[in-house]
């Protein structure tokens, strides 16, 4: 297999591996820090949430830097679908990203369970699908989409790792749902009966409203940032830098 596709983009197999590994690390980060928070600060829910949110914000920053240049560091089916809708990713590739993201998040939850000497799989019992939680997921997901694509379309994509980490860390607090904002991580968190878990009965409603939030975010991006000549990506793309050396053209695209 060729190391890259035409135009300099990494081969699809490499991108799928990056999405799977990145998603696995993200789920291990969210679930593992939640388990650790409960062990370190038992019966102190506020402090547990601080610890879980801080670890997630910092870790997400690092994970995006790790694999972003390979796959774009989506880790999120909604991001992939919106990117495809904007033309930054083919629909074929977006469809391939989705199972890699979900499988990675499930594997990450299992890995977190094992790292804390728990059963590999424990089905979560935390029911979350109230009306307030579902509204919060629409808000959290729409905000995430708007942030990512706003940075890409305003030529500030190099700030995305820090900005996305900061947004998710803050959204742990300003949303009642603690900002899942991601169907893949929602599925993964079903497999850990821990502080970060979500009961399977709550997951379908969460996923549905996350898709709605993605559509809202897509509309806001189109309103605030009309289409430009080149699509945007979450991280810098060496191919575009090589093809478009003039500083007036976009240096980064959204993946």
């Amino acid at each position: 297999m060729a190391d890259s596709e035409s135009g300099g983009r990494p081969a699809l197999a490499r991108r799928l591996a990056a999405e799977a590994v990145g998603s696995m690390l993200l789920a291990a980060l969210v679930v593992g820090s939640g388990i650790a928070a409960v062990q370190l600060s038992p019966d102190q829910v506020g402090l547990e949430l601080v610890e879980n949110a801080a670890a997630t914000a910092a870790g997400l920053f690092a994970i995006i830097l790790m694999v972003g240049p390979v796959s774009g560091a989506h880790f999120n089916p909604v991001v992939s679908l919106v990117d495809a809708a904007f033309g930054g990713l083919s629909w074929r590739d977006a469809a391939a990203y989705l199972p890699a993201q979900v499988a990675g998040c499930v594997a990450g939850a299992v890995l977190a369970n094992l790292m804390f000497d728990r059963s590999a799989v424990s089905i979560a019992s935390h029911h979350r699908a109230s009306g307030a939680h579902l509204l919060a997921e629409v808000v959290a997901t729409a905000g995430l989409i708007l942030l990512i694509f706003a940075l890409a379309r305003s030529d500030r994509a190099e700030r995305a790792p820090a900005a996305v980490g900061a947004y998710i860390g803050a959204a742990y607090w300003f949303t009642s749902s603690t900002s899942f904002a991601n169907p893949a991580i929602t599925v993964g968190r079903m497999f850990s009966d821990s502080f970060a878990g979500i009961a399977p009965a709550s997951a379908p409603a969460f996923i549905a409203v996350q898709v709605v939030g993605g559509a809202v975010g897509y509309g806001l991006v189109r309103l605030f940032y009309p289409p430009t000549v080149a699509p945007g990506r979450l991280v810098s793309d060496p191919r575009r830098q090589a093809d478009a050396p003039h500083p007036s053209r976009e240096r980064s695209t959204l993946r």
Side-chain angles (χ1 to χ4, degrees):
M1 178 181 293
D3 187 58
S4 63
E5 298 178 350
S6 60
R9 176 176 292 178
L12 180 60
R14 288 179 59 208
R15 287 184 279 138
L16 294 180
E19 282 295 297
V21 171
S23 298
M24 180 185 70
L25 292 173
L26 174 61
L29 166 68
V30 172
V31 175
S33 64
I35 296 172
V38 172
Q39 292 182 353
L40 294 170
S41 308
D43 301 320
Q44 299 181 65
V45 177
L47 184 55
E48 291 166 357
L49 187 59
V50 168
E51 294 162 349
N52 193 201
T56 299
L60 184 55
F61 176 92
I63 295 168
I64 293 173
L65 291 177
M66 284 180 198
V67 303
V70 180
S71 69
H74 290 194
F75 316 144
N76 186 333
V78 174
V79 173
S80 299
L81 292 174
V82 172
D83 194 17
F86 279 124
L89 185 71
S90 73
W91 287 106
R92 182 204 69 169
D93 288 2
Y97 272 35
L98 268 58
Q101 292 158 351
V102 172
C105 283
V106 172
V110 171
L111 179 61
N113 290 335
L114 292 173
M115 287 193 295
F116 285 89
D117 198 25
R118 294 183 167 212
S119 298
V121 175
S122 57
I123 302 302
S125 57
H126 190 171
H127 291 275
R128 299 176 182 262
S130 69
H133 287 148
L134 298 179
L135 175 60
E137 280 299 291
V138 174
V139 172
T141 309
L144 178 63
I145 294 299
L146 178 57
L147 171 64
I148 291 171
F149 288 87
L151 291 173
R153 290 192 166 219
S154 58
D155 199 26
R156 297 174 294 161
E158 73 283 353
R159 302 181 185 180
V164 171
Y167 177 82
I168 293 298
Y172 263 73
W173 285 91
F174 80 77
T175 67
S176 60
S177 64
T178 66
S179 184
F180 286 46
N182 180 339
I185 197 71
T186 301
V187 173
R189 288 166 73 164
M190 292 192 303
F191 292 88
S192 180
D193 191 16
S194 62
F195 182 78
I198 179 172
S202 297
F206 260 55
I207 292 170
V209 296
Q210 288 159 359
V211 173
V212 171
V216 172
Y218 172 83
L220 291 174
V221 174
R222 291 191 64 88
L223 175 64
F224 296 153
Y225 299 92
T228 54
V229 174
R233 291 182 63 192
L234 179 59
V235 295
S236 61
D237 182 351
R239 175 197 55 167
R240 291 196 180 277
Q241 292 176 356
D243 293 345
H246 194 280
S248 64
R249 287 189 58 183
E250 281 191 327
R251 297 190 302 274
S252 52
T253 66
L254 179 75
R255 291 298 289 258

